[in-house]
Amino acid sequence: MDQNSLQTKFFQKELEVNALMEITQAVNNNLPEEDLYKIFEFTLRANLQMEKLSLFVMEEDWECKVQFGTSQDFTQVKMGQTCLSARKITYIDQMDLDVSCFEEFEIIIPVLHKDRLLAFVFVKSKGPEINVDTTFIQALSNIMLVAIENKRLARKQLEQQALQRDMEIAKNVQNYLFPKDLPNNDKIHIEAYYQPCRTVGGDYYDYITLEQDDQFVVCIADVSGKGIPAAILMSNFQAVLRTISRTADNPVSVVNELNYHLCKNANRENFITFFLAVYDYKKKDLRYINAGHNPPLLMNGKPEVEKLTVGTTVLGAFEPLPFIEMGRVEDLDEFSLFLFTDGLTETFNKAEEEFGSERLEEFLEANYNTPLSELHSKLLAELYNFSEERNFTDDLTFLSCRVNNASV
């Protein structure tokens, strides 16, 4: 080998080493992906005397991230199966291309990392006397693309951590929605169970004593959708309900007001099924409105279920409500009321059979005199046995209210 050839080869290797150092420094400086692609382009275009180049990288699909010197805009070109099947450095004229525009290149260079395909580099040198160092191009591409992938993974991890923090905040906020203390005395006992299918859910229940101590409210709701949006909408709903609860002795006005605020705040994109009941200890009657919710089950002094269905349609869909009627049950002194969301009755087993309202009614009638805490434990065991311990696919919420007002 003559002196000129040695000097040319030495100069070429020096350029390659400098290029590797430049791309490595760019990676260490945590430069954006766009800058890394620009450095890659400059290195191959100027230092290595490439006339044409196109770099395809796998993201959602194969995308052209770098191109220069080409007559075709390869950002608008699909690679084709012939190129995608290449797993070793190959001369283009030896391939039976199904996308002819790639013929303007000389070589296709697949870039792999631990047997995983990262990219394809298509190149053409400035002249036949210039050797294309395909091994170097592979190495340079590999360093850059692994760095870019690591940056994406790190960014995704940060996004997931931020989402997790948001979910925890939403969970803490949602926990404040539920009453901290439910009554348990000789006159009234309430037990409730809530399990979201995600970190946060769209179910809500409440117990409110009115300004008149001889009345109380129980309610349950289920917002369409899941996750943070559902939790936020439900928190707004609860805030409005708590604000207007002083007028809850008139369920019709309460439901109309709730519907108005929901239509205004949710732009009729979400709706809420809702059940509200007001019990009066002196009158011994229960006034209620069912707004498209699963009918709560009432047992009036004996193990026979009565469904509470009177009311209106779901809230948030129409303003004003197209119809509304208040239900009333009189002569109630010793009774049990069971409220629930559809996550209970729509629990499925492996045969895709749902638990259903009939099984629930039979269970409640069979356990009429069972203490409430034990009743809930037995119901959960029944659900797990029925579903064969499969995960619940919806929020699971139910509330039992047992009143003993016979001595008043």
Side-chain angles (χ1 to χ4, degrees):
M1 184 178 298
D2 58 33
Q3 187 69 24
N4 287 337
S5 297
L6 284 172
Q7 189 172 6
T8 301
K9 190 173 183 180
F10 175 80
F11 179 71
Q12 183 69 23
K13 291 300 179 185
E14 186 178 29
L15 287 175
E16 292 177 1
V17 169
N18 289 337
L20 285 172
M21 291 177 63
E22 187 175 3
I23 199 77
T24 302
Q25 185 176 3
V27 169
N28 292 338
N29 289 338
N30 201 28
L31 292 182
E33 295 176 22
E34 295 78 8
D35 290 352
L36 292 177
Y37 284 129
K38 288 178 182 178
I39 293 172
F40 177 82
E41 175 184 347
F42 175 80
T43 298
L44 296 184
R45 188 173 192 170
N47 295 351
L48 300 187
Q49 302 184 59
M50 294 293 105
E51 178 184 338
K52 297 183 179 185
L53 178 136
S54 181
L55 170 68
F56 279 80
V57 178
M58 181 62 180
E59 290 192 349
E60 296 295 327
D61 197 357
W62 288 100
E63 298 180 17
C64 180
K65 292 294 185 179
V66 177
Q67 64 175 347
F68 62 81
T70 60
S71 57
Q72 178 78 37
D73 180 6
F74 283 92
T75 61
Q76 306 300 316
V77 174
K78 298 290 185 181
M79 286 182 58
Q81 287 303 312
T82 304
C83 293
L84 287 172
S85 63
R87 291 298 180 271
K88 62 181 181 178
I89 299 167
T90 307
Y91 282 96
I92 295 294
D93 59 10
Q94 296 177 358
M95 303 177 71
D96 185 15
L97 293 176
D98 51 353
V99 181
S100 59
C101 59
F102 286 98
E103 291 176 353
E104 63 177 289
F105 298 107
E106 288 179 339
I107 303 172
I108 179 173
I109 306 170
V111 181
L112 295 91
H113 179 69
K114 296 181 179 179
D115 297 325
R116 186 164 59 87
L117 191 60
L118 299 180
F120 291 95
V121 185
F122 297 85
V123 296
K124 181 180 180 181
S125 66
K126 289 186 175 180
E129 71 283 356
I130 299 174
N131 294 321
V132 177
D133 193 336
T134 55
T135 302
F136 170 74
I137 293 175
Q138 276 184 322
L140 187 70
S141 304
N142 194 295
I143 291 171
M144 180 191 68
L145 292 170
V146 169
I148 289 174
E149 186 173 34
N150 288 339
K151 286 167 66 70
R152 288 176 184 158
L153 291 174
R155 186 167 60 244
K156 187 175 182 180
Q157 186 176 14
L158 288 174
E159 290 171 353
Q160 290 175 338
Q161 290 173 350
L163 177 60
Q164 186 61 37
R165 285 195 298 270
D166 290 344
M167 293 288 281
E168 290 299 326
I169 292 171
K171 180 181 179 181
N172 292 334
V173 170
Q174 189 175 50
N175 286 337
Y176 289 115
L177 299 181
F178 301 105
K180 291 183 173 61
D181 299 307
L182 294 173
N184 183 5
N185 52 55
D186 293 338
K187 183 181 289 189
I188 180 172
H189 182 196
I190 294 181
E191 289 276 343
Y193 178 83
Y194 170 65
Q195 178 183 316
C197 70
R198 300 181 183 176
T199 305
V200 293
D203 286 1
Y204 163 65
Y205 65 85
D206 213 339
Y207 164 81
I208 305 168
T209 55
L210 301 186
E211 293 179 358
Q212 309 94 322
D213 290 336
D214 55 356
Q215 296 184 62
F216 70 84
V217 173
V218 287
C219 62
I220 194 165
D222 185 0
V223 63
S224 61
K226 295 179 177 65
I228 291 179
I232 292 173
L233 182 58
M234 192 58 79
S235 66
N236 291 336
F237 183 82
Q238 187 255 17
V240 174
L241 174 61
R242 285 278 174 156
T243 301
I244 64 177
S245 63
R246 63 184 181 275
T247 63
D249 59 334
N250 183 356
V252 173
S253 66
V254 170
V255 170
N256 277 322
E257 189 73 10
L258 287 170
N259 182 68
Y260 168 77
H261 283 279
L262 187 59
C263 286
K264 184 177 179 181
N265 294 331
N267 297 320
R268 305 187 188 186
E269 295 177 357
N270 297 87
F271 62 85
I272 289 179
T273 65
F274 180 59
F275 176 87
L276 173 80
V278 182
Y279 181 72
D280 190 313
Y281 284 104
K282 290 182 178 179
K283 296 179 180 179
K284 295 187 178 182
D285 71 356
L286 186 79
R287 286 157 292 137
Y288 73 88
I289 292 179
N290 188 332
H293 196 78
N294 302 86
L297 306 174
L298 175 70
M299 290 187 285
N300 183 10
K302 54 185 177 180
E304 292 181 4
V305 165
E306 176 186 352
K307 295 181 179 181
L308 304 184
T309 59
V310 177
T312 184
T313 186
V314 297
L315 305 185
F318 305 98
E319 172 52 31
L321 289 166
F323 64 92
I324 186 166
E325 181 182 357
M326 185 182 74
R328 184 189 294 266
V329 183
E330 299 178 324
D331 299 323
L332 282 176
D333 48 22
E334 292 184 77
F335 67 92
S336 295
L337 182 62
F338 185 82
L339 291 68
F340 62 98
T341 58
D342 57 10
L344 194 162
T345 51
E346 293 178 7
T347 295
F348 291 87
N349 59 19
K350 291 182 179 178
E352 294 303 318
E353 179 185 13
E354 71 173 14
F355 188 78
S357 58
E358 186 176 336
R359 281 190 180 85
L360 176 60
E361 293 169 28
E362 291 174 355
F363 173 86
L364 292 175
E365 290 174 349
N367 291 274
Y368 176 69
N369 291 316
T370 304
L372 293 188
S373 58
E374 182 182 343
L375 176 76
H376 283 201
S377 296
K378 290 179 69 173
L379 178 56
L380 283 171
E382 189 89 0
L383 286 171
Y384 278 112
N385 288 335
F386 176 80
S387 66
E388 299 164 286
E389 300 185 353
R390 297 204 306 175
N391 291 330
F392 295 115
T393 58
D394 197 359
D395 302 333
L396 180 62
T397 307
F398 49 87
L399 178 148
S400 296
C401 173
R402 190 167 288 176
V403 173
N404 180 11
N405 192 26
S407 59
V408 177

